[in-house]
Amino acid sequence: MRFVFLNVAFFILGVCFAQKPNDSTRMNGIRILASHNSYKKQPHKKVLKFLKRFEDKLGAHNNPDYIDYGHLRFSDQFDKYGIRGLELDVNYDPKGGHYKRRRVNFFLFGQRQRLKGGALKKPGFKLLHIADVDFETNYLTFKDALQEVKAWSKSHPGHIPIYINIEAKGSHPADESKALQRLGFTTCIPFDTLAYHSLEQEINEVFEKEEVYRPSDFRQDYSNLRSRIDSIGWPLLKDVSGKVIFILEGSNHHIYKSFSNASMFYFGTENDSNAIFLLRNNAVGQLDEIRRLSKFFMIRTRTDAGTLESRQNNYSVWNAAIDSEAQILSTDYYMPDRRWSTYKVGFKNGLYQTIKTP
């Protein structure tokens, strides 16, 4: 027991006191660990048991096992496990109350359909994975989540930048099933221009201008983001330390590309002169492609998905992600789920890994 305690203590010290990369390191020259669906809590056991009864009707892509995971609050992820990337599923709710009901609980004895308190009744973006099904969250609203990131950032000046992947949700099960709509399941409200302006507003209501590293900070006086890289390279770490960097994907996110003074970068294509972040989530199947692209872009890839790696104690995807030289590695397992195995991932110093850049 004493040996285990010492190992845990040294691991925590490694996270807290790992030496920061040299300030002359480029922004794309360090690799960080990110959590996937970072806000999410584990679904209630009754919900999972209910869904398993209909597993054969849900289809292979909707296996309830795939959502049987959850995360700590952000400050614990940052402090204890060196997480420096988050993913937030943002749901548009301009009038409020659209996501106030958890419909699957209607079929479960003792489970409330509606939460106490008024947070879900107010206008604003809500954080949840799958409406009416996988809705347990550490943060009901987008602004609540941002407030915690801001508080942690202010108390840790000079930290390695925190990358926040914003996924604008574009569908839920009821969008694909008239039967679920008749049962009262909630459809998704698509993102439009007004939605993205509102999303910008919520970011700017929480963060001061200097706390966020924006596309205009990156571009400077160059015509686009890629021309800046071609001319003077990626920013140095000292230019982005202590800041938060937002990256957008999801529903109608092409609308956002025309925004001036944008707060968020976006995941794009390699032919887009203003895309410097790319998604390549299949580290095994896209290994050679990621290696090629990581010389010019920042790449986000997955190290595990759907609880499979944890259930099988399988490190093959993690090893491929490491070999790929992608810079943002997204996981559900910075700590193990001992129901199944000891599978967990992380860097030797508990915080980051330096990678080669041109």
Side-chain angles (χ1 to χ4, degrees):
M1 180 63 71
R2 181 173 177 270
F3 178 74
V4 172
F5 174 78
L6 287 173
N7 273 349
V8 172
F10 283 131
F11 175 78
I12 292 173
L13 286 172
V15 172
C16 293
F17 300 111
Q19 185 178 0
K20 199 176 79 170
N22 190 294
D23 278 348
S24 62
T25 303
R26 296 283 180 179
M27 172 182 166
N28 64 329
I30 62 166
R31 164 183 282 158
I32 59 97
L33 193 65
S35 54
H36 164 250
N37 291 339
S38 312
Y39 57 89
K40 184 172 129 53
K41 294 170 71 174
Q42 213 158 3
H44 195 281
K45 291 180 180 179
K46 288 185 178 181
V47 171
L48 290 171
K49 185 177 180 180
F50 175 78
L51 294 174
K52 289 292 280 186
R53 289 170 52 193
F54 302 95
E55 183 175 350
D56 59 332
K57 297 179 176 61
L58 294 173
H61 296 296
N62 295 309
N63 187 329
D65 289 345
Y66 295 169
I67 61 172
D68 191 5
Y69 64 92
H71 289 291
L72 302 173
R73 292 184 68 87
F74 299 157
S75 56
D76 287 331
Q77 293 186 41
F78 297 152
D79 287 332
K80 297 178 182 179
Y81 298 97
I83 295 297
R84 291 297 181 268
L86 302 174
E87 181 184 36
L88 307 182
D89 288 330
V90 178
N91 296 264
Y92 187 37
D93 186 12
K95 296 181 180 179
H98 191 73
Y99 294 101
K100 66 184 178 183
R101 188 167 58 187
R102 282 94 185 275
R103 192 58 173 168
V104 74
N105 284 351
F106 174 79
F107 305 98
L108 303 175
F109 179 76
Q111 297 299 107
R112 295 178 60 90
Q113 282 196 76
R114 303 187 185 209
L115 289 184
K116 293 181 179 180
L120 293 179
K121 296 179 182 178
K122 297 177 181 178
F125 296 91
K126 309 302 189 299
L127 291 189
L128 61 97
H129 187 214
I130 304 172
D132 297 303
V133 177
D134 190 17
F135 41 74
E136 300 291 353
T137 175
N138 284 308
Y139 311 91
L140 292 172
T141 70
F142 181 49
K143 289 183 76 171
D144 284 345
L146 296 187
Q147 291 285 5
E148 180 156 337
V149 175
K150 177 188 174 78
W152 187 91
S153 179
K154 288 190 71 172
S155 65
H156 296 78
H159 61 76
I160 288 173
I162 296 172
Y163 296 92
I164 302 183
N165 176 2
I166 301 293
E167 181 173 349
K169 293 292 279 191
S171 68
H172 290 302
D175 292 283
E176 302 171 12
S177 171
K178 294 291 185 183
L180 289 178
Q181 290 180 32
R182 288 193 290 271
L183 287 171
F185 281 64
T186 303
T187 57
C188 197
I189 302 176
F191 276 69
D192 55 16
T193 300
L194 181 59
Y196 281 119
H197 279 296
S198 298
L199 191 62
E200 284 271 307
Q201 182 178 349
E202 290 207 1
I203 291 172
N204 293 325
E205 285 174 354
V206 173
F207 288 100
E208 302 295 331
K209 186 177 187 301
E210 66 275 8
E211 294 172 329
V212 176
Y213 189 75
R214 303 167 193 269
S216 58
D217 299 321
F218 189 102
R219 186 175 57 250
Q220 297 180 349
D221 294 328
Y222 294 92
S223 59
N224 56 60
L225 303 187
R226 298 279 288 282
S227 64
R228 177 252 158 83
I229 295 174
D230 292 341
S231 299
I232 60 173
W234 285 77
L236 300 179
L237 187 63
K238 66 180 181 180
D239 298 323
V240 296
S241 291
K243 295 183 183 293
V244 175
I245 299 173
F246 291 94
I247 317 159
L248 176 68
E249 65 166 314
S251 175
N252 295 325
H253 83 282
H254 62 277
I255 295 172
Y256 187 76
K257 295 181 181 182
S258 63
F259 276 38
S260 59
N261 301 316
S263 298
M264 298 180 283
F265 296 85
Y266 57 81
F267 287 106
T269 65
E270 57 183 299
N271 296 321
D272 185 337
S273 61
N274 277 310
I276 59 172
F277 292 92
L278 302 181
L279 287 171
R280 294 294 185 274
N281 285 329
N282 184 353
V284 175
Q286 298 174 301
L287 178 60
D288 291 337
E289 182 183 6
I290 296 173
R291 281 176 175 163
R292 174 180 64 82
L293 292 172
S294 64
K295 295 177 173 60
F296 311 102
F297 300 89
M298 287 194 68
I299 312 294
R300 183 261 202 176
T301 195
R302 299 282 299 276
T303 68
D304 41 74
T307 76
L308 296 177
E309 284 73 19
S310 178
R311 292 173 189 270
Q312 300 165 5
N313 204 28
N314 182 353
Y315 284 84
S316 60
V317 182
W318 166 257
N319 291 333
I322 291 293
D323 290 344
S324 74
E325 298 191 352
Q327 294 93 340
I328 301 174
L329 306 189
S330 180
T331 183
D332 291 317
Y333 296 101
Y334 45 83
M335 61 180 184
D337 187 334
R338 296 190 182 277
R339 291 178 297 170
W340 302 312
S341 74
T342 58
Y343 176 84
K344 67 173 183 176
V345 300
F347 306 126
K348 288 183 179 179
N349 71 5
L351 187 57
Y352 70 93
Q353 192 176 66
T354 303
I355 58 177
K356 295 180 180 178
T357 56

